[in-house]
Amino acid sequence: MKLVYQPEEPLTSEFSRTAEFEALPKLYIRCSEDDVIPVELQDAMVQAYTDVVLEPLESNHFPQFALPEKLSGVIAKFLKI
């Protein structure tokens, strides 16, 4: 897998949360083996929102490659598929 440059603008741009956004169901999959985003930062990101379903996954930063079946199972459970 080749990693490519990621723009900074999405990380530094102003973001306002509308009532419509706040009303959406939210799922955060915390990857415990992530070397890119430490678990402490992931937890801070989760705490910035209300009513977030937190699902831990023993995976690196790319669960879609490392654990695709488990990841899809977590998402399906959240979506009640």
Side-chain angles (χ1 to χ4, degrees):
M1 172 176 41
K2 179 181 177 187
L3 299 180
V4 295
Y5 169 78
Q6 299 293 308
E8 273 188 41
E9 187 177 356
L11 301 173
T12 58
S13 297
E14 187 90 15
F15 174 73
S16 61
R17 297 187 287 200
T18 64
E20 292 85 1
F21 174 81
E22 291 296 336
L24 292 172
K26 297 167 192 68
L27 169 65
Y28 190 91
I29 299 167
R30 185 195 314 131
C31 298
S32 62
E33 307 301 320
D34 193 334
D35 290 332
V36 177
I37 304 174
V39 171
E40 297 79 19
L41 181 54
Q42 293 181 60
D43 288 342
M45 292 163 53
V46 170
Q47 292 170 8
Y49 296 93
T50 56
D51 300 322
V52 177
V53 173
L54 175 64
E55 288 286 344
L57 198 59
E58 289 185 29
S59 176
N60 60 25
H61 188 69
F62 299 101
Q64 66 271 35
F65 300 119
L67 299 169
E69 294 84 13
K70 284 189 179 182
L71 177 62
S72 61
V74 167
I75 294 170
K77 176 182 160 191
F78 176 74
L79 295 174
K80 297 178 176 101
I81 298 176

